[in-house]
Amino acid sequence: MSHPQRMSDPSPEMISFYRIEGMRVLCAFVVLWIIGPNFAWVAESLAQPPSTTQPPATAQPPATAQPPAATQPPAAALEVSFPIDIQPLLARRCFACHGPDQAESGLRLHLPESATAMLDSGYQAIAPGNPEESELLARVRSTEEGVRMPPEGKPLSEREQALLERWIADGAPWKNHWAFEPISSPPVPALADGTRAAEPIDAFIDAKLEKHGLTRAPQAEPIALLRRLYFDLIGLPPSPQAVADFRARAHDNFEAAWESEIDRLLASEQYGERWARHWLDVVRYAETNSFERDGPKPFAWRYRDYVIRSLNADKPYDQFVREQLAGDELTQVTSDSLIATGFYRLGIWDDEPADRELAVYEGYDDILTTVGQGLLGLTINCCRCHDHKIDPIPTADYYASLAFFRNLTPNGYGPQVQRPLIATESDRAQFKLNEDRIREEGDQIQQRLSEVEQALRAEIAESSDAGVAGYDLDDLEYRFYRDTFDKLPDFDALKPETVAKLDPPRIDIGVATRPDYFGFVFDGKLIVPADGEYTFRLDADDGVRLSIDGEAVLEYDGIHGLGQPHRTKRTLTQGRHAFRLDYFQGTGGKGLQLEWSGPGFKRRILTAVDAPQNVDLNQWIESQRGSELDPELVQSFRRLRRELEENKNRKPWEEYGMCVSESGTVAPETHILTRGSPEAKAEVVQPAFLSILGGGTPTIEPNATANTTGRRLALANWIVSPENRLTSRVFVNRVWQHHFGRGIVRSPNNFGQLGETPTHPELLDYLAGEFMDGGWRIKPLHKRILMSQSYRQSSRASDKALAQDANNDWFSRFDMRRLSAEEIRDAVLATNGRLNLTMFGPSIYPELSAEVMASQSQPGKGWGNSSVDERARRSIYIHIKRSLLVPMMSNFDFPEPDTSCEARFITTQPGQALGMLNGDFLNEQAALYAELIRKQAGPELKDQIGVAIRNALSREPTSVEIQRGVQWIGSLQTEHALSEEQALAYYALLVFNLNEFVYLD
């Protein structure tokens, strides 16, 4: 099951303050240890909270997230909703013993008829309208050991007990879970005095605050708001010039200045880079496969660029989803829609599974989990082995959903994954034209080369008795698989143990590293000397498939020692033809022979068995005896070989992507797997929509052009249908989450009964409806949220708000937040003027320490090879290797990309402070910042300190800060013999470590 990552228990403001305090004090002690005891003021500076934020009024965080008992309203005064308040409570605290799978004492609480039935004991757990006769209420209130329920964990809070009492007193009305109800159109509420906020968002929040006797916090300071807005929308700090311009405009008309700044940032290209990262978290984006080898995912970076482009273009969300789920099946296929299907390839992949069939279903489960949680907010994956324990989702629904993906080719290597980005009919026509032209040129070169080779061999034969080999295969490569096979597998879906060239180019299974149980794929070019009919004779032991030009021409799956050689005839044209031989060997020794005959020759052997050991022509020419040959022939031979190599390296299409593909227009059957085991197949199911969301059989039209079943397009259309109850809610909640620090639903990937209930369900439905009515456009949704007074609140909390809204459930203030890993790194680079805003393209590789590299048996290529300028690009372009995440990013809670990340944990731990003070990256960037400071401020130290603070913190320095900075830098020079440049670099490092730099008010 997926568990929500709560980030606000007990109080976000208190947690932020005390965590910051601890981190900064630790930083201070490290600094003091490094540079001596005479600079205690540094510790004081580092430990100060942001200038616009004060520590919580209470001395200690509250022990519980609930308000004090004295403030709890009586049950009669509560308003209670079964789907919002009661059903999730029962699911979370009761279903383990009294739910769909368990019925201790005969009691099940997931259905109204069983929950209100008279039990064998003579009690009624829930007596509608009669709390005093309800045994459930008596048990949860009991303090007696063995009687109190639930028996484990903390008792139900007084508020939870009061909610149960109120609900039972109201007759225990039973409704569907809130998320499974259609999206409502709630009226915009007014306050008790009849007034209504100008922005509907504020109206909903004000109504909830009024209900709890609270008011909204005052608006934050303009520059604090500007800094918040910049990081929220583009992930970068405002420049000093942007701060000055906004301050001037806001002085005249704040509302106009604020709106124009929102519009400008939403139009910025950096907006897509910031918000793409949020989406990449959800879809488990990485560029390697995980597991032992953690091999690369070629062209994965194109998917990242697609997301950035889509968000910058304000692509409607429904189109965005359709492209990722079925971009190759759309009416209008584009290169972007093909790249989007890389969504399916982003997950982990075991390239050497112990159980291949099980691994295939693991891949389906990864896809279904990501679609379910990421798009629908449902843990459908919990139904793989049994009916959902909490939500009404049967196992049959899991496999009916899986059936939409059943025809996908598995992850692997080669054309089924790395596809040319051919989007349109004209693209396909041009690709075919290019392919034919390249092949025709290659055939012509090969013909001339064969003539020259024949002349050279004849010349050698006249002067020598040595035989000079001529080969019918070229560019021959083998892939070796050490495994046991009982039939020909899809080798492209498996990771080979060895990949190597065969020189001389003859098929040779003798390179196998074991006598039995192995497989081979031989890939190369067959050199056909003339147009005509050719006969192939294949003698194999266990299983073999011969393919020419991508078509299987001979296939045999036999038993060792039995059967006769197999023959086939094919008409081929002169030139170079794609050649492939798939082979597996069981027991009984190695046995494989392939030969062919055709116009001008009777029999030539293509395998190494009994092959004559002749001298290679190229070796002869490059030896001393090569000088005896006709120099014009030798020169022609070398020139034609070079031209042939160039021809081989030409591609018929420039751009390739990591895309999805299917195995034709007819899908294999999908069975329910008993307990999730492929060895226990049960009844067949057809693709169907989730019954909990209305169910229904999809209309599916196979797509001959895309060579697909059309199933994924049917699923995508259902997911983004306006009638779908979850899609818009889930996405709107994610946008809200990244503006306010948490969603209206705190568990963004789980809207089911074990997820958190929405704190403002009417607001969620209002925004979801407006989002769809607005054409699923994301930027207008941003603007609506950012224009609200609720977003503009200060993080200062009143004593009353801290007491009654400790978790900030009602948005009585704005939650202060720490910058993400990407924001910290990018802010450092932006502040010191080194940020490279080049967009798109292959990922960059930061330098990693030798110690980090030594932790990997196979660290991979590229680390540290990017240029200095490339390494200064934004963090979203950093290569993501699943088994080797960049330490600075991991320190600041970059998520593990193996599964969908609904919300990043926010931690404070020593590695953050130590890395920020002692890490190579921060020290290098601090030195560069010092150079910029000197350039902008001139030689005066106080001016340098002013520039340092102004650029980094977007505010004017205080006289005390300047005075202390001058004294400290001076002492570094006099007492520690540091140069002026070194001392200023230390000060720049201190500024990067200030609380204000890494936290937002």
Side-chain angles (χ1 to χ4, degrees), residues 462-588:
E462 290 179 0
S463 60
S464 171
D465 294 333
V468 179
Y471 300 110
D472 297 331
L473 294 172
D474 192 17
D475 297 330
L476 191 62
E477 178 183 84
Y478 75 86
R479 289 179 267 157
F480 174 69
Y481 303 82
R482 175 192 288 266
D483 211 335
T484 301
F485 305 99
D486 55 9
K487 62 180 180 179
L488 275 172
D490 179 3
F491 282 115
D492 290 339
L494 304 177
K495 175 72 174 181
E497 179 182 277
T498 307
V499 178
K501 292 283 188 181
L502 280 165
D503 189 17
R506 289 188 183 275
I507 298 165
D508 185 5
I509 64 173
V511 297
T513 57
R514 63 195 304 183
D516 298 311
Y517 303 117
F518 57 82
F520 274 101
V521 172
F522 298 92
D523 263 312
K525 294 293 184 182
L526 178 68
I527 302 172
V528 177
D531 295 353
E533 185 178 70
Y534 292 83
T535 300
F536 294 87
R537 180 181 181 275
L538 181 64
D539 189 359
D541 287 339
D542 290 302
V544 66
R545 180 189 303 113
L546 171 64
S547 302
I548 297 176
D549 292 331
E551 178 186 357
V553 298
L554 199 156
E555 188 166 349
Y556 173 66
D557 227 344
I559 302 173
H560 181 80
L562 300 179
Q564 299 296 320
H566 289 249
R567 289 179 173 82
T568 188
K569 293 185 178 183
R570 282 293 183 276
T571 299
L572 299 173
T573 58
Q574 183 273 330
R576 299 166 61 84
H577 292 257
F579 173 93
R580 172 166 170 159
L581 191 72
D582 294 38
Y583 174 75
F584 81 88
Q585 175 77 49
T587 60

Side-chain angles (χ1 to χ4, degrees), residues 967-985:
Q967 291 174 350
W968 186 61
I969 292 176
S971 64
L972 287 177
Q973 295 176 262
T974 58
E975 298 181 27
H976 294 271
L978 297 182
S979 67
E980 180 182 338
E981 291 78 8
Q982 290 172 320
L984 188 59

Side-chain angles (χ1 to χ4, degrees), residues 665-666 700-704 708-710:
T665 57
V666 179
I700 297 173
E701 298 180 2
N703 189 321
T708 66
T709 60

Side-chain angles (χ1 to χ4, degrees), residues 232-544:
D232 274 10
L233 285 186
I234 66 171
L236 296 171
S239 68
Q241 187 61 53
V243 171
D245 291 346
F246 180 75
R247 181 181 283 115
R249 289 183 287 117
H251 181 269
D252 297 331
N253 187 333
F254 179 83
E255 291 296 325
W258 180 250
E259 183 173 8
S260 67
E261 206 66 26
I262 291 171
D263 291 339
R264 191 176 67 81
L265 293 178
L266 285 173
S268 164
E269 289 186 317
Q270 282 70 58
Y271 158 78
E273 292 175 318
R274 170 62 179 151
W275 279 80
R277 185 59 257 177
H278 297 318
W279 183 255
L280 297 181
D281 279 4
V282 173
V283 298
R284 83 275 190 236
Y285 173 81
E287 298 175 66
T288 60
N289 295 317
S290 190
F291 293 96
E292 181 183 2
R293 276 179 285 263
D294 199 16
K297 291 182 179 293
F299 308 111
W301 55 268
R302 290 196 191 279
Y303 176 87
R304 172 248 291 152
D305 290 354
Y306 155 80
V307 176
I308 295 172
R309 286 194 302 271
S310 297
L311 294 176
N312 277 337
D314 199 19
K315 182 177 291 180
Y317 182 66
D318 57 345
Q319 180 185 346
F320 185 58
V321 170
R322 281 192 184 95
E323 288 178 347
Q324 292 177 74
L325 295 181
D328 55 328
E329 295 185 319
L330 299 175
T331 303
Q332 295 293 328
V333 177
T334 66
S335 293
D336 258 10
S337 73
L338 291 176
I339 294 169
T341 66
F343 164 87
Y344 291 101
R345 307 295 190 188
L346 297 175
I348 63 173
W349 172 53
D350 187 353
D351 56 29
E352 194 175 31
D355 185 325
R356 289 191 190 86
E357 190 173 17
L358 180 61
V360 168
Y361 282 95
E362 292 288 348
Y364 291 140
D365 186 70
D366 168 67
I367 293 168
L368 191 51
T369 298
T370 306
V371 171
Q373 295 183 15
L375 301 181
L376 298 173
L378 289 178
T379 55
I380 305 171
N381 49 299
C382 293
C383 308
R384 181 178 178 182
C385 304
H386 49 71
D387 291 348
H388 203 291
K389 299 287 188 181
I390 306 300
D391 295 328
I393 309 176
T395 303
D397 275 16
Y398 173 92
Y399 288 97
S401 299
L402 184 151
F404 286 103
F405 311 115
R406 187 70 176 89
N407 200 43
L408 293 179
T409 55
N411 286 324
Y413 304 91
Q416 67 179 11
V417 175
Q418 300 172 43
R419 298 177 58 190
L421 299 177
I422 306 170
T424 65
E425 287 294 336
S426 61
D427 286 345
R428 281 186 280 274
Q430 186 62 48
F431 179 87
K432 183 66 166 59
L433 185 65
N434 295 344
E435 195 174 41
D436 290 346
R437 183 183 299 118
I438 292 170
R439 177 168 180 168
E440 182 180 348
E441 291 174 358
D443 289 346
Q444 291 172 356
I445 296 170
Q446 182 64 61
Q447 182 178 11
R448 297 197 301 272
L449 179 61
S450 296
E451 293 170 356
V452 170
E453 288 175 342
Q454 185 65 30
L456 287 169
R457 280 195 292 269
E459 189 174 336
I460 292 171
E462 290 179 0
S463 60
S464 171
D465 294 333
V468 179
Y471 300 110
D472 297 331
L473 294 172
D474 192 17
D475 297 330
L476 191 62
E477 178 183 84
Y478 75 86
R479 289 179 267 157
F480 174 69
Y481 303 82
R482 175 192 288 266
D483 211 335
T484 301
F485 305 99
D486 55 9
K487 62 180 180 179
L488 275 172
D490 179 3
F491 282 115
D492 290 339
L494 304 177
K495 175 72 174 181
E497 179 182 277
T498 307
V499 178
K501 292 283 188 181
L502 280 165
D503 189 17
R506 289 188 183 275
I507 298 165
D508 185 5
I509 64 173
V511 297
T513 57
R514 63 195 304 183
D516 298 311
Y517 303 117
F518 57 82
F520 274 101
V521 172
F522 298 92
D523 263 312
K525 294 293 184 182
L526 178 68
I527 302 172
V528 177
D531 295 353
E533 185 178 70
Y534 292 83
T535 300
F536 294 87
R537 180 181 181 275
L538 181 64
D539 189 359
D541 287 339
D542 290 302
V544 66

Side-chain angles (χ1 to χ4, degrees), residues 189-261:
L191 298 179
D193 61 4
T195 61
R196 180 181 284 115
E199 167 54 53
I201 288 174
D202 295 324
F204 284 103
I205 289 179
D206 286 349
K208 186 77 75 170
L209 289 170
E210 183 182 57
K211 178 181 175 182
H212 291 84
L214 297 171
T215 57
R216 191 189 312 126
Q219 181 167 296
E221 295 296 324
I223 301 308
L225 281 177
L226 183 69
R227 187 172 169 85
R228 181 191 298 175
L229 182 69
Y230 263 74
F231 277 108
D232 274 10
L233 285 186
I234 66 171
L236 296 171
S239 68
Q241 187 61 53
V243 171
D245 291 346
F246 180 75
R247 181 181 283 115
R249 289 183 287 117
H251 181 269
D252 297 331
N253 187 333
F254 179 83
E255 291 296 325
W258 180 250
E259 183 173 8
S260 67
E261 206 66 26

Side-chain angles (χ1 to χ4, degrees), residues 449 452 456 459 617-618 620-622 625-642:
L449 179 61
V452 170
L456 287 169
E459 189 174 336
L617 177 59
N618 191 58
W620 183 284
I621 290 174
E622 298 305 324
R625 303 199 63 178
S627 59
E628 302 172 3
L629 300 175
D630 183 338
E632 290 188 5
L633 284 176
V634 171
Q635 184 178 4
S636 296
F637 174 82
R638 288 172 174 164
R639 176 178 53 80
L640 290 169
R641 286 283 295 261
R642 185 172 60 253

Side-chain angles (χ1 to χ4, degrees), residues 574-873:
Q574 183 273 330
R576 299 166 61 84
H577 292 257
F579 173 93
R580 172 166 170 159
L581 191 72
D582 294 38
Y583 174 75
F584 81 88
Q585 175 77 49
T587 60
K590 302 170 183 176
L592 173 67
Q593 182 166 321
L594 175 65
E595 58 188 48
W596 70 322
S597 59
F601 64 94
K602 290 185 176 180
R603 177 175 177 262
R604 291 183 187 169
I605 298 175
L606 300 175
T607 47
V609 179
D610 298 328
Q613 300 300 312
N614 293 331
V615 178
D616 180 78
L617 177 59
N618 191 58
Q619 293 175 348
W620 183 284
I621 290 174
E622 298 305 324
S623 69
Q624 291 183 350
R625 303 199 63 178
S627 59
E628 302 172 3
L629 300 175
D630 183 338
E632 290 188 5
L633 284 176
V634 171
Q635 184 178 4
S636 296
F637 174 82
R638 288 172 174 164
R639 176 178 53 80
L640 290 169
R641 286 283 295 261
R642 185 172 60 253
E643 290 178 4
L644 189 58
E645 287 301 314
E646 292 172 354
N647 177 267
K648 295 174 190 176
N649 293 328
R650 288 182 61 190
K651 290 184 176 181
W653 203 254
E654 290 299 320
E655 292 192 337
Y656 285 71
M658 185 181 69
C659 309
V660 80
S661 60
E662 289 195 22
S663 302
T665 57
V666 179
E669 289 183 334
T670 301
H671 293 261
I672 294 176
L673 305 183
T674 306
R675 305 301 298 173
S677 171
E679 302 298 323
K681 293 181 174 66
E683 61 266 30
V684 174
V685 294
Q686 298 301 322
F689 303 133
L690 292 174
S691 55
I692 197 175
L693 297 178
T697 301
T699 300
I700 297 173
E701 298 180 2
N703 189 321
T705 301
N707 195 35
T708 66
T709 60
R711 291 183 175 189
R712 289 176 288 115
L713 182 58
L715 175 66
N717 287 335
W718 174 75
I719 287 177
V720 296
S721 165
E723 286 71 43
N724 193 299
R725 303 161 194 180
L726 287 172
T727 307
S728 61
R729 280 174 172 155
V730 168
F731 186 72
V732 162
N733 188 64
R734 292 195 193 280
V735 175
W736 185 277
Q737 166 193 353
H738 294 302
H739 283 308
F740 283 87
R742 61 93 166 170
I744 297 172
V745 179
R746 293 182 186 269
S747 51
N749 274 15
N750 190 354
F751 276 37
Q753 295 178 114
L754 268 188
E756 298 285 330
T757 58
T759 55
H760 297 69
E762 296 83 6
L763 173 58
L764 181 63
D765 274 13
Y766 175 83
L767 290 174
E770 290 291 304
F771 180 54
M772 290 189 290
D773 291 344
W776 300 80
R777 298 280 300 282
I778 302 171
K779 289 186 178 182
L781 174 62
H782 285 301
K783 185 172 181 179
R784 165 160 275 181
I785 292 172
L786 297 170
M787 287 297 292
S788 72
Q789 294 296 326
S790 300
Y791 176 81
R792 295 188 238 174
Q793 292 181 94
S794 168
S795 62
R796 295 172 183 267
S798 65
D799 291 346
K800 186 176 182 181
L802 285 175
Q804 296 188 11
D805 191 17
N807 284 344
N808 200 16
D809 287 335
W810 317 128
F811 296 109
S812 59
R813 60 196 177 277
F814 198 87
D815 284 333
M816 184 171 61
R817 77 170 177 90
R818 194 203 70 204
L819 300 182
S820 67
E822 295 92 336
E823 288 173 306
I824 293 173
R825 180 182 175 276
D826 293 354
V828 168
L829 292 168
T831 301
N832 71 8
R834 301 300 170 131
L835 183 63
N836 178 356
L837 291 177
T838 300
M839 299 179 69
F840 307 131
S843 294
I844 61 170
Y845 291 82
E847 286 187 317
L848 299 180
S849 68
E851 291 81 3
V852 171
M853 296 291 282
S855 69
Q856 291 267 301
S857 58
Q858 298 185 47
K861 300 177 181 178
W863 296 108
N865 290 343
S866 297
S867 68
V868 173
D869 283 345
E870 287 177 325
R871 293 200 299 270
R873 293 180 67 193

